Amino acid sequence: MGTFGSLRTRAVATVAATGALALVVGCSSSDDAVTGGGKKDGKVVITMGLYGVMGIKETGLLEQYEKENPDVDIKAEIAGDEQTYYTALQTRLAAGNGLKDIQGIEIGRAKEITETQSDKFADFAGMAGTEHFLPWKESQISTEDGKVLGLGTDIGPMAVCYRKDYFEQAGLPTDREEVAKLWEGDWKKYVEVGRTFKKDFKGKGVAYMDAASGLFNATVYGYPEQYYDDKGELIYDKNPAVKEAWNLAADAAEDGLSAKLRQFQPGWDPGLANGTFATAVCPAWMLSHISEKAGAANKGKWDVARAPKGANWGGSFLGVIEKSPVKEEAKKLVAWLTAPEQQAHIFKELGNIPSSQKALDAADVKNATSEYFNNAPIGQIFGAAAQEIPDKQVLGRKDGTIKDTFSQGLALVEQGTSRDEAWKTTTERIEKAVG
């Protein structure tokens, strides 16, 4: 069986230390006056703009491609923070310069790209060798007139990460199969387990979950529609799925089940290191961050159980700028990086779940385990979860902004604001931000 974790840990640490600086350097470099790479000294120079730990550079794939294609020189620039990266990308798209040949696109930005920037990106529709993706993945980056503005890298099927030692201290099962049965089929059961945990836990200073916002995301992303309908109309304030997710997360907050530590916000990493919560809703790509921040002292204490219901939270694409001077060479590189073999390689090294059906079916992916998470069969858990993701997933232009605003609203509930007042504040903020 394959395992992952050590490389991801090093990669996360490296990006955390250098990612923001890389973006600043890129913004101020002499290359800002042009778009992308070109041909120099007999070589094709391809530039890439990436964010976070997408695995493309960290796992050695770029070096492998250069070795197999000695006439190609790849220069990748990585930003640690996606929000900062996307703000810079928007500025560069508007200005028409400073762009890389290949740009990473996060799922929460995909709809805005397809609706407002489709003329800036090359079309992958009908490209040979790109028929292996999950059926809904390509649709997320497609325009109404059939253009495909990028190819998928990973997806974000859901599970629940939990502390075995804390569950034992609360008299709850610790075996991952038994834990999954506690909340099978309904996120409400997950909250009920939390109430039991709070009542029976023998220790002190440990909350059941990290934050109510994680529960909100897990619940709402299990439905085909969240903040927009399939006509592009905003429905965040009247969609029953959103209100259901809000009320369930508010229940957890009001019942004191949350440590009030929003994921990827200040306080969350120390919370992982200090063991201040027992569970976290975790899409596949989050496992690496948990293992890196919780540290060696907590290895084997964390485990992974199936989520109550299937949902997709996260995932990315690689797009090519239409005016790139090496557009065809860049498209060829993107197709290679997102091919099943390379997606499987990234999964084995870092744990990013492939968006390729063929890669998901590969034995090395299916049989992968995580040593850090008590040898959890993550290939089986997340592979099965990927099949439960709704085939229809409606994305909206400002999904990322709306998601972040709901997270901020639930933080108000955790701090003592009534859910109704927090809802009013949240919807007002969204209206102001997106119209």
Side-chain angles (χ1 to χ4, degrees):
M1 289 188 177
T3 62
F4 85 98
S6 59
L7 176 58
R8 178 87 186 210
T9 297
R10 296 195 298 272
V12 170
T14 300
V15 170
T18 65
L21 178 61
L23 184 63
V24 172
V25 171
C27 289
S28 61
S29 73
S30 60
D31 288 341
D32 251 21
V34 299
T35 295
K39 297 183 180 181
K40 183 179 181 181
D41 299 329
K43 282 197 170 187
V44 174
V45 180
I46 303 175
T47 59
M48 301 184 72
L50 308 172
Y51 53 85
V53 184
M54 299 178 73
I56 292 162
K57 180 176 174 62
E58 297 84 359
T59 62
L61 287 177
L62 299 185
E63 289 86 349
Q64 180 182 338
Y65 191 84
E66 288 175 330
K67 185 176 180 180
E68 295 177 4
N69 300 270
D71 60 332
V72 174
D73 184 17
I74 306 168
K75 299 184 181 300
E77 185 176 281
I78 304 175
D81 176 58
E82 189 278 334
Q83 186 169 358
T84 303
Y85 163 86
Y86 187 66
T87 299
L89 177 59
Q90 287 178 303
T91 300
R92 293 171 176 180
L93 286 168
N97 59 34
L99 294 159
K100 308 304 178 187
D101 301 298
I102 298 170
Q103 296 280 176
I105 303 169
E106 203 271 337
I107 187 174
R109 319 296 186 180
K111 190 66 172 179
E112 186 167 32
I113 291 292
T114 60
E115 288 190 350
T116 67
Q117 304 287 354
S118 63
D119 60 323
K120 306 289 180 60
F121 286 86
D123 186 8
F124 283 87
M127 185 173 182
T130 61
E131 307 86 6
H132 54 86
F133 294 95
L134 289 164
W136 48 265
K137 184 67 175 178
E138 184 176 288
S139 66
Q140 294 177 329
I141 197 70
S142 299
T143 65
E144 289 187 359
D145 60 356
K147 289 180 65 177
V148 180
L149 304 186
L151 298 180
T153 56
D154 64 326
I155 56 175
M158 209 75 67
V160 176
C161 296
Y162 69 99
R163 285 281 299 258
K164 293 183 62 176
D165 53 339
Y166 290 163
F167 270 45
E168 184 176 15
Q169 292 179 54
L172 293 167
T174 59
D175 176 78
R176 66 181 68 94
E177 293 295 330
E178 294 181 17
V179 169
K181 289 179 182 177
L182 292 175
W183 50 59
E184 186 174 14
D186 195 338
W187 284 104
K188 292 180 181 178
K189 295 180 182 178
Y190 170 73
V191 175
E192 284 298 329
V193 173
R195 295 186 178 109
T196 300
F197 178 91
K198 181 181 179 182
K199 176 172 63 72
D200 296 340
F201 182 66
K202 300 300 189 294
K204 294 182 178 180
V206 176
Y208 175 62
M209 67 179 70
D210 50 357
S213 54
L215 173 59
F216 173 86
N217 290 330
T219 304
V220 78
Y221 286 131
Y223 291 92
E225 295 181 344
Q226 292 92 42
Y227 311 126
Y228 292 79
D229 62 19
D230 56 8
K231 298 177 182 177
E233 299 295 325
L234 284 163
I235 58 170
Y236 65 89
D237 55 344
K238 52 182 175 289
N239 183 358
V242 174
K243 205 60 187 284
E244 174 193 335
W246 173 271
N247 284 327
L248 185 60
D251 286 346
E254 292 172 351
D255 288 350
L257 306 184
S258 165
K260 307 176 185 178
L261 298 174
R262 285 174 57 201
Q263 294 169 340
F264 303 105
Q265 298 300 309
W268 190 56
D269 289 350
L272 286 165
N274 298 325
T276 55
F277 49 86
T279 71
V281 173
C282 53
W285 47 264
M286 193 182 289
L287 265 62
S288 62
H289 189 94
I290 292 175
S291 61
E292 195 263 331
K293 297 302 180 182
N298 292 311
K299 181 180 179 180
K301 296 178 181 179
W302 283 96
D303 209 323
V304 184
R306 295 189 309 275
K309 296 175 68 175
N312 186 72
W313 176 9
S316 297
F317 305 86
L318 294 176
V320 172
I321 298 302
E322 175 66 30
K323 291 186 178 180
S324 163
V326 289
K327 181 174 72 171
E328 293 307 316
E329 293 90 340
K331 288 177 67 176
K332 180 181 176 182
L333 173 57
V334 167
W336 185 86
L337 288 170
T338 59
E341 296 78 10
Q342 280 63 256
Q343 289 201 33
H345 172 76
I346 292 175
F347 171 75
K348 285 183 285 183
E349 295 291 337
L350 300 184
N352 293 9
I353 294 293
S355 61
S356 164
Q357 181 65 67
K358 187 175 180 180
L360 286 170
D361 291 338
D364 283 351
V365 173
K366 283 185 174 181
N367 297 328
T369 61
S370 171
E371 183 180 358
Y372 188 91
F373 287 87
N374 197 40
N375 295 313
I378 58 169
Q380 296 178 17
I381 292 172
F382 287 109
Q387 305 303 325
E388 296 177 5
I389 295 171
D391 286 341
K392 178 184 178 182
Q393 292 189 52
V394 178
L395 300 182
R397 183 178 298 185
K398 294 292 184 180
D399 273 352
T401 299
I402 297 172
K403 176 182 74 68
D404 291 343
T405 308
F406 271 114
S407 294
Q408 294 163 11
L410 286 164
L412 294 177
V413 180
E414 290 173 326
Q415 294 158 12
T417 303
S418 73
R419 71 175 68 190
D420 291 340
E421 184 62 29
W423 175 269
K424 181 174 181 292
T425 299
T426 299
T427 53
E428 288 174 351
R429 288 175 175 174
I430 292 173
E431 185 176 0
K432 183 177 181 180
V434 305

